[in-house]
Amino acid sequence: MDEGGGDPLGLLCPVGRPEKLAVYRGGQTRVKESSRAIAGCFGGGQKRDWQCPHVRVLRVRPKILMADSEALSSLAGDPMAVEALLQAVFGIVVDEAIQKGTSASEKVCEWKEPEELKQLLDLELRSQGESQEQILERCRAVIHYSVKTGHPRFFNQLFSGLDPHALAGRIITESLNTSQYTYEIAPVFVLMEEEVLRKLRALVGWSSGDGIFCPGGSISNMYAVNLARYQRYPDCKQRGLRTLPPLALFTSKECHYSIQKGAAFLGLGTDSVRVVKADERGRMVPEDLERQISMAEAEGAVPFLVSATCGTTVLGAFDPLEAIADVCQRHGLWLHVDAAWGGSVLLSQTHRHLLDGIQRADSVAWNPHKLLAAGLQCSALLLQDTSNLLKRCHGSQASYLFQQDKFYDVELDTGDKVVQCGRRVDCLKLWLMWKAQGSQGLERRIDQAFALARYLVEEMKKREGFELVMEVAPVLKERMVKEGSMMIGYQPHGTRGNFFRVVVANPALTRADIDFLLNELERLGQDL
């Protein structure tokens, strides 16, 4: 190929088309010589749709030559090479992560011990770059040795499944690589987030309010605690903890651990968290909440917040919100509802009664990446407040971002509502999935999860010996993971020993998968 002359910095920049064409087929790369090969694939220099299902064309990377140095590899300035690389990567993703990763005939994971896995992945970062063929094989290896959370036999976490429309939204989000703090840099997503949050608030039962997407439900819960404290003691934003009396917040023994972490992070201390009793189903006992509030006041603490839970982490319990809201109303306390898991049940006309009273909350945390399978991460904090509390509590009016003399409505600049500066776009995957499924489609997804959970319970009742799982869960977990047949989490609960927590959320689940789960547990434990 021809080379241009050096510029004042001593750069020798190649121009024209490369002399070689690399054809990627089934994990092997073959190099074709000459510009004639390129013309054959690209139609004599005119760009055409050259991709076919089994052959992907990858142009050899151009070189940027630095004076007195070795050549540096780069795809910059060669859009066809960039496209070819990404097409090849997407092909691997479709093959390994989507087709194999969601197939019941494939393993959930290819388990390796840490030292062996380090060697297989060759994790060391070196001074010299690698060939595109090596990079593609690394992409394949990363997927191959990762846990397939979209697999129908993955019951391990509160998130699972792979929704194609949500995945499409995630790909677009990553491709655009914007930060959702001002309208000027993310106009589409500022308006989209506003609409998605409005729809979520309407499902809660609010006709107005505020909200923001947060980096996980734990942060949503922490924000709620911070907002409740700021509302009662606004001076603490400037003057700090020295302005505060001893504070007390209340939550059940079944709450998510982020409540304790949030109290520590915000300087309240974990001692400020008063633990309320739960009944045998894991639901907060309102009478004990009343008692705990009285005890805190008698000890000189100031109660300011109650955090109820809809969908507890272990038992999936829904706290009695109406009774808890009555207690909060009597004592003037902020009511936060951690509905990270259970919030999506609001879409179901059949089951939304489990959240009766949620409209009386001051704030709600809701993670559509869990029960709706929108993909990590998708976590909304919703507020009934209309006084701009989020921005007043968290804002700092950075003059280089949030100028007040902009040529558009500066209320569209949402970045000062959060503590972070750069904020990823988390609304698109949910919006696109909702557009494709409609509210009715999402409702069917929730109803199916409940139906399969009931089916699992009924089938378990028909089988003998499942009480053994209480004692042998760690052994069974090790066996299933090393075989790669399925994955289920376990934990103790109170005085009970270890038991399996089966999360039924993947929209691709069928009764056959539930049957497999039970049969596999019996098979894995037949010698115990």
Side-chain angles (χ1 to χ4, degrees), residues 19-32:
E19 295 290 343
K20 295 181 179 179
L21 191 72
V23 180
Y24 179 82
R25 182 199 298 269
Q28 296 181 341
T29 300
R30 302 175 183 175
V31 176
K32 291 187 176 182

Side-chain angles (χ1 to χ4, degrees), residues 118-131:
K118 287 179 183 178
Q119 296 300 316
L120 287 168
L121 295 175
D122 186 19
L123 295 173
E124 181 185 352
L125 298 173
R126 301 179 178 88
S127 59
Q128 295 296 317
E130 297 181 337
S131 70

Side-chain angles (χ1 to χ4, degrees), residues 35-170:
S35 58
R36 182 177 300 175
I38 297 175
C41 287
F42 292 101
Q46 295 182 352
K47 185 177 179 182
R48 294 184 180 179
D49 185 9
W50 42 264
Q51 186 191 18
C52 70
H54 303 295
V55 178
R56 301 181 182 91
V57 181
L58 180 64
R59 291 179 63 195
V60 174
R61 297 171 297 173
K63 303 290 185 179
I64 298 177
L65 301 180
M66 298 291 293
D68 301 321
S69 71
E70 295 183 1
L72 298 179
S73 300
S74 174
L75 294 179
D78 192 344
M80 293 176 67
V82 171
E83 180 181 351
L85 170 66
L86 293 178
Q87 290 281 7
V89 171
F90 289 155
I92 292 172
V93 169
V94 170
D95 181 39
E96 295 287 340
I98 299 176
Q99 293 181 348
K100 293 181 181 178
T102 61
S103 172
S105 63
E106 299 284 342
K107 288 185 176 182
V108 176
C109 65
E110 188 68 47
W111 177 262
K112 302 293 180 184
E113 295 298 329
E115 290 305 316
E116 181 185 4
L117 187 57
K118 287 179 183 178
Q119 296 300 316
L120 287 168
L121 295 175
D122 186 19
L123 295 173
E124 181 185 352
L125 298 173
R126 301 179 178 88
S127 59
Q128 295 296 317
E130 297 181 337
S131 70
Q132 297 294 3
E133 182 176 9
Q134 287 176 296
I135 294 301
L136 292 174
E137 288 308 312
R138 295 209 181 281
C139 293
R140 190 179 295 275
V142 165
I143 299 172
H144 180 71
Y145 292 111
S146 292
V147 175
K148 311 306 187 295
T149 63
H151 197 286
R153 308 287 162 75
F154 178 82
F155 301 94
N156 207 69
Q157 257 44 69
L158 294 180
F159 63 89
S160 63
L162 195 155
D163 183 277
H165 298 99
L167 179 59
R170 291 151 70 187

Side-chain angles (χ1 to χ4, degrees), residues 167-178:
L167 179 59
R170 291 151 70 187
I171 292 171
I172 295 171
T173 295
E174 293 302 315
S175 301
L176 291 173
N177 189 39
T178 193

Side-chain angles (χ1 to χ4, degrees), residues 309-339:
T309 310
C310 286
T312 59
T313 305
V314 178
L315 297 181
F318 288 73
D319 285 343
L321 298 182
E322 288 284 11
I324 293 171
D326 288 342
V327 175
C328 291
Q329 186 174 347
R330 283 195 295 272
H331 293 273
L333 306 182
W334 180 290
L335 174 57
H336 173 64
V337 177
D338 176 4

Side-chain angles (χ1 to χ4, degrees), residues 222-286:
M222 292 183 195
Y223 275 9
V225 175
N226 199 39
L227 291 166
R229 180 177 66 177
Y230 175 83
Q231 185 191 55
R232 183 167 291 218
Y233 299 103
D235 286 349
C236 72
K237 178 179 178 180
Q238 180 176 352
R239 300 180 60 199
L241 298 177
R242 67 181 183 273
T243 66
L244 300 175
L247 297 179
L249 62 101
F250 306 85
T251 192
S252 85
K253 60 181 292 188
E254 300 293 331
C255 76
H256 190 260
Y257 65 82
S258 60
I259 303 301
Q260 293 272 352
K261 280 194 171 187
F265 184 79
L266 294 170
L268 297 170
T270 55
D271 286 348
S272 68
V273 180
R274 307 298 178 105
V275 179
V276 181
K277 291 180 181 178
D279 62 20
E280 70 282 354
R281 301 295 296 275
R283 300 170 296 196
M284 183 188 291
V285 177

Side-chain angles (χ1 to χ4, degrees), residues 237 388 390-404 415-418:
K237 178 179 178 180
N388 220 9
L390 266 171
K391 191 173 288 189
R392 288 188 289 116
C393 179
H394 295 147
S396 61
Q397 297 86 48
S399 60
Y400 69 93
L401 275 179
F402 307 116
Q403 304 93 332
Q404 296 303 295
D416 244 1
K417 292 183 179 184
V418 296

